[in-house]
């Protein structure tokens, strides 16, 4: 068991180093030997976890996926808002999430398939929008797959703009504005009126998700991690 | 006069070479000597036009600005749609516009101020939205600067998503979807009903702008270019 814990820790150390190097040098220019030096692990340890530079990048990209989950909400549209605002909050505060997002936005990274995060986030959005539709939250003309893609694509650009202009300082405000612009075209008025789209929502959901995570860990039998 | 024409042509050759190298290698890794080799010009010629790598990148970034202008429209909201759809069309078809957009989305390009295009596009949007507001096209709660930023940021991400997934093949469809999601929250219903938001709009506006440009060149006195 101790060995397994160590392996997980080593994997994390390598990913953090890779995130740092990709962010500093770009995907194209980064080398495995730089990542090795920064991680301070052996070549054998690195290749045990990751086969190639692309594999390392995919590992960093995957870290932005939902590790922290939003508790289920009665309104599936509030749940989408919470997923989006939580991601904005994590992007402002977590270097690993930031590195993953930057890599997936690196239009110059040739040979790296960057479509993964767009497609995965699109699926998360699609599933929630379909559930919202099934319970009558959406206006009749809405096509869930189209709306999911608009939200995912727009979010990607708004974070990039916020990073370019002020290193993410205004990110949650900009994402709240996006929600206020898109959702009135999607959600029925009575649902819309009950949504919390404020820019403080992400931090509140983060605190809630962290509490739930701690409670779940406490409840799990020892050693199950 | 012939000398001036030659200088303009040389500048263009250098910028095309710079666009190509930045796209292939990324801003960080690109070198001036690679750009020199690709352009096939002398060092002196290059430094006459551009002082540094950043200067070259700013030149490429500036190329995505309106060289081709949308004819004025009675509805300023249709004019915004036309600017956006024309840009989407040019991004699909013009390598120089593509290089500029990619550079401005290169979150790994350290030491390059990428905020310029976001801010310039934001100003174009803001001015048109303010004029739309003055002539009563907008819903009463709309804050033009906020809406301009939502449109510019969202567009940036949607083009990146389209490039990552299918090299821009579905770009105009995605941008049309963005317009259909955002504008109902911004525009009064009677204006909204009259807008052309179709995905073919960009190509049509491009043809119109090219015709106008040709007519203007014909009308100008010889040598005035």
């Amino acid at each position: 068991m101790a060995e397994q814990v160590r392996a997980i820790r080593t994997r994390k150390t390598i990913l953090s180093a890779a995130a740092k190097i990709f962010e500093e040098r770009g995907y194209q220019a980064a080398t495995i030997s730089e990542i090795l030096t920064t991680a301070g692990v052996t070549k054998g340890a690195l290749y045990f976890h990751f086969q190639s530079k692309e594999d390392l990048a995919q590992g960093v990209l995957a870290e932005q996926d939902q590790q922290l989950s939003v508790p289920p909400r009665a309104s599936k549209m509030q749940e989408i808002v919470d997923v989006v605002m939580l991601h904005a909050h994590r992007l402002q505060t977590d270097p690993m999430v930031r590195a993953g997002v930057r890599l997936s936005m690196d239009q110059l990274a040739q040979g790296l398939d960057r479509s993964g995060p767009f497609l995965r986030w699109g699926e998360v959005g699609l599933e929630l929008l379909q559930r919202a539709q099934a319970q009558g939250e959406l206006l009749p003309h809405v096509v869930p797959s189209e709306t999911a893609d608009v939200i995912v694509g727009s979010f990607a650009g708004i974070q990039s703009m916020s990073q370019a202009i002020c290193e993410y300082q205004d990110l949650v405000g900009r994402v709240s504005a996006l929600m206020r612009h898109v959702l009135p075209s999607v959600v029925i008025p009575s649902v819309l009126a009950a949504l919390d789209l404020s820019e403080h929502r992400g931090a509140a959901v983060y605190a809630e998700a962290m509490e739930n995570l701690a409670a779940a860990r406490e409840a799990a039998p020892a050693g199950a991690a």
Side-chain angles (χ1 to χ4, degrees), chain A:
Chain A
M1 195 53 71
E3 210 164 302
Q4 209 184 323
V5 170
R6 213 174 305 128
I8 292 170
R9 207 172 296 150
T10 304
R11 190 174 183 281
K12 217 165 179 151
T13 304
I14 297 167
L15 276 182
S16 294
K20 189 165 174 291
I21 297 299
F22 288 139
E23 201 155 351
E24 279 174 20
R25 310 261 297 139
Y27 174 73
Q28 210 80 306
T31 65
I32 289 193
S33 69
E34 286 170 308
I35 294 169
L36 268 177
T37 309
T38 305
V41 300
T42 64
K43 214 173 192 171
L46 188 143
Y47 280 102
F48 174 75
H49 292 282
F50 302 98
Q51 324 266 288
S52 63
K53 186 167 87 167
E54 159 134 38
D55 216 22
L56 281 158
Q58 293 297 351
V60 172
L61 286 175
E63 286 290 304
Q64 68 181 285
D65 294 350
Q66 297 63 13
Q67 305 258 332
L68 261 187
S69 51
V70 169
R73 310 292 188 199
S75 160
K76 291 301 141 190
M77 291 312 294
Q78 183 67 61
E79 204 170 317
I80 288 193
V81 170
D82 288 357
V83 167
V84 170
M85 296 303 295
L86 174 62
H87 192 49
H89 175 78
R90 294 183 70 202
L91 198 46
Q92 256 186 340
T93 55
D94 183 338
M96 180 65 102
V97 174
R98 202 143 60 212
V101 169
R102 289 199 188 184
L103 254 182
S104 64
M105 296 298 286
D106 184 359
Q107 295 193 311
L108 303 161
Q110 279 152 15
L112 171 67
D113 180 4
R114 303 181 298 108
S115 62
F118 286 116
L119 299 176
R120 282 196 295 274
W121 280 111
E123 277 160 31
V124 171
L126 176 59
E127 202 206 309
L128 287 169
L129 279 158
Q130 281 171 335
R131 294 178 65 190
Q133 190 173 50
Q135 63 189 38
E137 294 187 56
L138 304 189
L139 292 166
H141 70 277
V142 172
V143 179
S145 59
E146 189 184 69
T147 300
D149 279 2
V150 165
I151 293 174
V152 170
S154 300
F155 181 93
I158 280 173
Q159 69 77 26
S160 182
M161 185 171 181
S162 172
Q163 192 242 337
I165 290 176
C166 64
E167 276 295 329
Y168 290 130
Q169 280 175 48
D170 61 8
L171 180 63
V172 292
R174 285 180 185 273
V175 174
S176 161
L178 173 66
M179 296 290 104
R180 283 182 282 109
H181 277 79
V182 167
L183 295 186
S185 311
V186 172
V187 178
I188 63 172
S190 57
V191 169
L192 189 63
L195 293 179
D196 179 356
L197 307 176
S198 81
E199 57 184 270
H200 309 294
R201 185 82 193 173
V205 173
Y206 179 76
E208 190 188 357
M210 288 300 280
E211 257 175 54
N212 290 350
L213 195 65
R217 277 186 186 149
E218 210 140 298

